[in-house]
Amino acid sequence: NPIAFTQYTRHHSMKIIEEFMIVANEAVSRKYQDLPFLYRVHPEPAEDDAVKLVESIAKYGYHLPAGKKLKPKDIQKILDEVKWDKREKLLSRMILRSLTKAKYSPDAEGHFGLALDYYSHFTSPIRRYPDLQIHRIIKEKINRKFDDNRKKHYDLILDRVAKKSSESEVKAEKLEY
């Protein structure tokens, strides 16, 4: 039984760590792009979703360019602006939820919300299966155990791993909500 509800305080150091994690995820994705890999991809938003986002964010005093196609730098700029707002968690979640849902893929299709061409989840292997899968691939490569047979193995399974991981994430989010 819950005994208390307390506000979670976000410190500047936590934001710095998050930035380092994004940079690490991007660096790993770029370095190993020649291997079978799992990427975190985020498609461009649908036009209707972009219009709704522009209208929603304006209610909180933030502005995105209306009447033109949103670019990743527009989303990144607004996310940077809300970082110091006391409503940052609400606003950033609202912004990201208004966009097309990110998913896992064996293809590097880019991450619209972060404005990155290559992005994987690498930094939480104890928490996310895709991170663990990437660690396995990199470990095999570093230990010189990644050969044609291993490449074929990953080529066969990564599409299913990406799909199952994306489905499990959606299910977990629904349960959390």
Side-chain angles (χ1 to χ4, degrees), residues 6 8 14 17-18 21 30 37 41 43 45 48 70 75 80 91 93 123 125 149 165 167:
T6 58
Y8 182 79
M14 296 166 113
I17 291 167
E18 285 176 12
M21 289 174 66
R30 283 188 181 280
F37 218 65
V41 299
D48 290 352
L70 284 180
I75 300 299
D80 287 342
L91 293 169
R93 181 168 257 175
T123 52
N149 286 334
S165 295
E167 289 169 355

Side-chain angles (χ1 to χ4, degrees), residues 14 27 39 83 106 134 143 154 172:
M14 296 166 113
Y39 297 93
K83 272 185 183 173
I134 290 168
N143 292 328
Y154 288 117

Side-chain angles (χ1 to χ4, degrees), residues 59-93:
K59 293 175 185 174
Y60 292 91
Y62 293 96
H63 301 284
L64 285 165
K68 75 171 189 102
K69 191 173 183 178
L70 284 180
K71 293 184 172 35
K73 66 181 179 183
D74 298 325
I75 300 299
Q76 197 59 51
K77 182 180 175 207
I78 200 73
L79 286 170
D80 287 342
E81 284 180 30
V82 303
K83 272 185 183 173
W84 306 107
D85 191 306
K86 62 184 176 191
R87 304 165 295 186
E88 186 234 350
K89 192 169 185 173
L90 165 79
L91 293 169
S92 61
R93 181 168 257 175

Side-chain angles (χ1 to χ4, degrees), residues 34-36 140-141 144-156:
D34 60 323
L35 298 178
E140 287 179 19
K141 181 70 172 173
R144 296 189 169 121
K145 293 182 179 178
F146 192 91
D147 57 17
D148 287 341
N149 286 334
R150 296 309 292 158
K151 182 180 181 333
K152 287 177 190 170
H153 166 73
Y154 288 117
D155 285 339
L156 280 172

